[in-house]
Short mmCIF file of all heavy atoms in Angstrom, two decimals:
data_model
loop_
_atom_site.label_atom_id
_atom_site.label_comp_id
_atom_site.label_asym_id
_atom_site.label_seq_id
_atom_site.Cartn_x
_atom_site.Cartn_y
_atom_site.Cartn_z
N GLN A 380 49.70 25.53 12.41
CA GLN A 380 49.71 26.61 11.43
C GLN A 380 48.77 27.76 11.85
O GLN A 380 47.66 27.55 12.32
CB GLN A 380 49.23 26.10 10.07
CG GLN A 380 50.06 24.92 9.56
CD GLN A 380 51.55 25.26 9.41
OE1 GLN A 380 51.89 26.09 8.60
NE2 GLN A 380 52.41 24.57 10.17
N ASP A 381 49.26 29.00 11.66
CA ASP A 381 48.47 30.19 11.84
C ASP A 381 47.82 30.34 13.21
O ASP A 381 46.59 30.44 13.32
CB ASP A 381 47.41 30.31 10.73
CG ASP A 381 48.07 30.62 9.40
OD1 ASP A 381 48.95 31.46 9.38
OD2 ASP A 381 47.62 30.07 8.38
N VAL A 382 48.63 30.40 14.24
CA VAL A 382 48.17 30.66 15.59
C VAL A 382 48.14 32.18 15.77
O VAL A 382 49.20 32.83 15.57
CB VAL A 382 49.04 30.02 16.65
CG1 VAL A 382 48.59 30.35 18.05
CG2 VAL A 382 49.11 28.51 16.46
N PRO A 383 47.01 32.80 16.13
CA PRO A 383 47.00 34.25 16.32
C PRO A 383 47.96 34.67 17.43
O PRO A 383 47.98 34.13 18.51
CB PRO A 383 45.53 34.53 16.71
CG PRO A 383 44.77 33.36 16.20
CD PRO A 383 45.67 32.20 16.28
N LYS A 384 48.83 35.65 17.13
CA LYS A 384 49.80 36.12 18.10
C LYS A 384 49.19 36.62 19.37
O LYS A 384 49.72 36.43 20.47
CB LYS A 384 50.67 37.20 17.41
CG LYS A 384 51.58 36.68 16.32
CD LYS A 384 52.65 37.71 15.95
CE LYS A 384 52.03 38.93 15.30
NZ LYS A 384 53.10 39.86 14.80
N GLU A 385 48.03 37.27 19.24
CA GLU A 385 47.34 37.85 20.40
C GLU A 385 47.01 36.81 21.46
O GLU A 385 46.89 37.12 22.62
CB GLU A 385 46.06 38.55 19.98
CG GLU A 385 46.24 39.98 19.59
CD GLU A 385 44.90 40.70 19.48
OE1 GLU A 385 43.86 40.04 19.31
OE2 GLU A 385 44.91 41.94 19.56
N MET A 386 46.87 35.54 21.02
CA MET A 386 46.52 34.49 21.97
C MET A 386 47.61 34.31 23.03
O MET A 386 47.36 33.73 24.11
CB MET A 386 46.29 33.15 21.27
CG MET A 386 45.02 33.10 20.48
SD MET A 386 44.64 31.39 19.98
CE MET A 386 44.08 30.73 21.52
N LEU A 387 48.81 34.74 22.71
CA LEU A 387 49.96 34.48 23.58
C LEU A 387 50.25 35.66 24.48
O LEU A 387 51.32 35.70 25.11
CB LEU A 387 51.19 34.18 22.67
CG LEU A 387 51.00 33.05 21.69
CD1 LEU A 387 52.14 33.02 20.67
CD2 LEU A 387 50.87 31.70 22.37
N SER A 388 49.33 36.55 24.62
CA SER A 388 49.55 37.78 25.43
C SER A 388 49.33 37.63 26.90
O SER A 388 49.80 38.43 27.68
CB SER A 388 48.67 38.91 24.89
OG SER A 388 48.99 39.25 23.55
N ASN A 389 48.61 36.60 27.30
CA ASN A 389 48.23 36.46 28.72
C ASN A 389 49.34 35.84 29.57
O ASN A 389 50.06 34.98 29.11
CB ASN A 389 46.99 35.60 28.85
CG ASN A 389 45.71 36.37 28.50
OD1 ASN A 389 45.79 37.48 28.06
ND2 ASN A 389 44.58 35.75 28.70
N THR A 390 49.43 36.31 30.81
CA THR A 390 50.31 35.66 31.79
C THR A 390 49.66 34.42 32.32
O THR A 390 48.49 34.12 32.03
CB THR A 390 50.60 36.65 32.94
OG1 THR A 390 49.40 36.85 33.70
CG2 THR A 390 51.15 37.99 32.46
N SER A 391 50.38 33.70 33.14
CA SER A 391 49.81 32.45 33.71
C SER A 391 48.65 32.76 34.64
O SER A 391 47.85 31.89 34.92
CB SER A 391 50.93 31.72 34.48
OG SER A 391 51.47 32.51 35.48
N GLU A 392 48.56 34.03 35.10
CA GLU A 392 47.44 34.45 35.99
C GLU A 392 46.26 34.91 35.15
O GLU A 392 45.24 35.38 35.66
CB GLU A 392 47.86 35.53 36.92
CG GLU A 392 48.80 35.12 38.05
CD GLU A 392 50.22 34.96 37.53
OE1 GLU A 392 50.60 35.66 36.59
OE2 GLU A 392 50.95 34.12 38.11
N GLY A 393 46.39 34.84 33.81
CA GLY A 393 45.28 35.26 32.96
C GLY A 393 45.24 36.78 32.69
O GLY A 393 44.24 37.28 32.17
N ILE A 394 46.33 37.50 32.99
CA ILE A 394 46.39 38.92 32.79
C ILE A 394 47.01 39.24 31.44
O ILE A 394 48.10 38.72 31.15
CB ILE A 394 47.18 39.60 33.92
CG1 ILE A 394 46.54 39.33 35.26
CG2 ILE A 394 47.24 41.12 33.67
CD1 ILE A 394 47.41 39.77 36.47
N LYS A 395 46.34 40.01 30.61
CA LYS A 395 46.89 40.40 29.34
C LYS A 395 47.92 41.44 29.51
O LYS A 395 47.65 42.51 30.06
CB LYS A 395 45.74 40.86 28.40
CG LYS A 395 46.23 41.09 26.96
CD LYS A 395 45.06 41.38 26.04
CE LYS A 395 45.53 41.57 24.60
NZ LYS A 395 44.40 41.80 23.70
N VAL A 396 49.12 41.21 29.00
CA VAL A 396 50.21 42.14 29.16
C VAL A 396 50.69 42.56 27.74
O VAL A 396 51.06 41.71 26.94
CB VAL A 396 51.39 41.54 29.93
CG1 VAL A 396 52.59 42.52 30.02
CG2 VAL A 396 50.95 41.14 31.32
N SER A 397 50.65 43.85 27.47
CA SER A 397 51.08 44.37 26.19
C SER A 397 52.54 44.04 25.96
O SER A 397 53.40 44.21 26.82
CB SER A 397 50.88 45.89 26.10
OG SER A 397 51.34 46.38 24.87
N GLY A 398 52.87 43.52 24.78
CA GLY A 398 54.23 43.17 24.43
C GLY A 398 54.69 41.81 24.84
O GLY A 398 55.77 41.34 24.46
#
Side-chain angles (χ1 to χ4, degrees):
Q380 304 300 296
D381 287 321
V382 178
K384 291 193 293 184
E385 272 192 338
M386 288 193 74
L387 305 169
S388 297
N389 283 5
T390 66
S391 57
E392 289 78 28
I394 301 170
K395 186 173 183 178
V396 177
S397 178

